[in-house]
Amino acid sequence: MTDMTGESRLQGNSIGLTHIVFFVVAAAAPMTAVVGATPPAFAFGNGAGVPGAFVLAGALYLLFSVGYTAMTPHISGAGGFFSYISRGLGGAAGIAGALMALVAYFAIQLGIYALFAVFTSATLAPLGVDLPWWIWALAALAAVVVLGRRNIAISGRILGACMVAELLILLLLDVAILLHGGGPEGLSLAGFRPADVFGPGLGVSMVFVLGAYVGFEATAIFAEEAHQPHRTIPRATYVAVLLITVFYALSTWAISQYYGPSTVREAASASLEGFYFNAAAELLGPWSVQVMNLLLLTSLFACLLSFHNTLNRYFYTLACESLAWRAMGRVHPEHGSPHVAGLVQAVLVALILGGFALGQADPYTVVFSWMAGLAVLAILGTQVLVSVSVIRFFRHQPHARSGLVVLVAPALATLGLGAAFVLVGANISLLTGSDRLIVRAFPVLVVAVGLVGALLALGIRRRDPALYVNLGRSLD
């Protein structure tokens, strides 16, 4: 078992519930998710039923959280899903899940860097600034690396400020719609009624809605640095899921009321980009559009910072497990952060973004769209493994938990997440905007990544049985 004493440990007791919730919600990027992801859900999915789709997704992740948080007291360290899967299903499944999670977070991070560059270019174009998109992406990367090197609480404060600003402007729009009495059809419960939610297009809406929850793992991955992690992590998990669900359901319901439930699909189809901005300009004034554009950039940056910190801790954990370059297990002597892992990650991101740039890939229709679709599939696959792991772990672990907590809830979560994986895979061309063979093969690619991880683990078991047995435990 790896000796993780002294400077090799992350700085404990440095963040509390609020910071962790900020990381999860910032990863969900409220402004980006609402303004960028929900218009296509309205246009191509179940129309006015989008708010109810968020309620369904929130219920699914609350079910997932029941077993996930029940297992939390038995897990320590910064391994996130890797540690959970290893403890319940063994090292082979653990490494399979770790590789799938790495694919998910790397993919979404690459996509967000490209999206940040697209919106930065659009914002500065009227000022006569015209630079290639990859320059803005690399500039954002440099800033993220500097902040990720600092103590995690500093990142938490920055993410918190960005998140609060995003929530406030969107809530202001929601309140304005309510005070305005909605739109041409007034105010109603349309959007939450079963006929609206389960109408044609629900499956398509869920493809976009589930993407809003990517970054969910951030609650557990900061356990080693959290104050009273056995209490903080479960509370942060429930608070984050409830906050995301309630806020997104409220915002999508309000905008549906503004356009009218019977015509909201047509309104979204007519102007995906201006769907929210047009409403804000009319109800709040032109100033709000400028503020929302600025907050869209801060939302994307906060999202990048959150995923950067999450991936740093994945690399750190793999290094501590002797599964990756050992130097990535070092922490900064002053800030207590996995700074070497951060530098390695930054180099990899820069190389991949450089490859996209050299290949002249469009930053929005290729880099962002493709990477977002791949990320959603990969994280769903990882979460399925976690739910199965919870069930098996408590079958072999003495506990005083109810069967509803350690069997029924995780079993339902497994079925729901598995169905979501199939659903996203079936609609991957719509999600990415591409019907190319490589895109349609994303579900197979995710499964293949998991199989590769399992084969690597079996190789470790043959070469070093002691290392294999202790996978997921070296940070205890």
Side-chain angles (χ1 to χ4, degrees), residues 52-300:
F54 274 107
V55 174
L56 289 178
L60 174 60
Y61 277 114
L62 285 174
L63 278 175
F64 174 86
S65 300
V66 171
Y68 186 54
T69 56
M71 195 170 172
T72 297
H74 304 275
I75 304 294
S76 61
F81 286 162
F82 167 66
S83 298
Y84 283 75
I85 297 169
S86 296
R87 286 298 183 89
L89 298 178
I95 296 181
L99 289 188
M100 290 188 340
L102 284 173
V103 167
Y105 291 122
F106 242 105
I108 194 63
Q109 190 178 208
L110 291 167
I112 297 298
Y113 273 115
L115 195 61
F116 178 87
V118 168
F119 284 115
T120 300
S121 297
T123 300
L124 297 179
L127 302 177
V129 180
D130 184 17
L131 295 174
W133 69 269
W134 55 268
I135 291 182
W136 300 117
L138 293 180
L141 174 62
V144 165
V145 170
V146 170
L147 290 172
R149 182 183 177 88
R150 307 283 293 179
N151 181 277
I152 191 66
I154 295 174
S155 293
R157 287 192 287 271
I158 293 171
L159 292 171
C162 293
M163 185 194 76
V164 169
E166 295 173 51
L167 296 181
L168 284 176
I169 189 66
L170 290 171
L171 282 174
L172 190 59
L173 176 59
D174 295 342
V175 171
I177 292 172
L178 293 176
L179 293 177
H180 191 256
E185 301 174 39
L187 297 174
S188 70
L189 291 178
F192 298 111
R193 297 179 303 210
D196 299 321
V197 179
F198 295 99
L202 172 61
V204 175
S205 287
M206 292 301 290
V207 171
F208 295 96
V209 166
L210 288 167
Y213 292 84
V214 175
F216 183 81
E217 180 183 5
T219 54
I221 208 165
F222 297 107
E224 190 171 332
E225 298 155 279
H227 175 64
Q228 296 182 325
H230 290 173
R231 297 176 58 189
T232 302
I233 299 304
R235 291 179 180 178
T237 302
Y238 285 117
V239 169
V241 173
L242 287 170
L243 181 60
I244 291 171
T245 302
V246 171
F247 180 75
Y248 287 172
L250 172 63
S251 294
T252 52
W253 172 79
I255 199 69
S256 175
Q257 299 302 299
Y258 172 78
Y259 286 106
S262 64
T263 58
V264 67
R265 186 194 306 271
E266 291 73 17
S269 300
S271 179
L272 292 175
E273 299 83 0
F275 187 61
Y276 283 89
F277 291 114
N278 293 339
E282 179 177 336
L283 296 178
L284 300 177
W287 66 270
S288 63
V289 176
Q290 301 302 321
V291 171
M292 289 176 73
N293 272 315
L294 177 61
L295 290 178
L296 188 58
L297 293 179
T298 63
S299 174
L300 292 167

Side-chain angles (χ1 to χ4, degrees), residues 91-93 95-96 452-462 468 471:
I95 296 181
V452 168
L455 291 174
L456 289 174
L458 294 177
I460 292 171
R461 186 171 65 179
R462 287 194 298 270
Y468 179 84
L471 286 175

Side-chain angles (χ1 to χ4, degrees), residues 21 138 141 160 182 188 421 435 463 473:
V21 170
L138 293 180
L141 174 62
S188 70
F421 182 91
D435 197 39
R463 295 191 306 270
R473 294 176 170 83

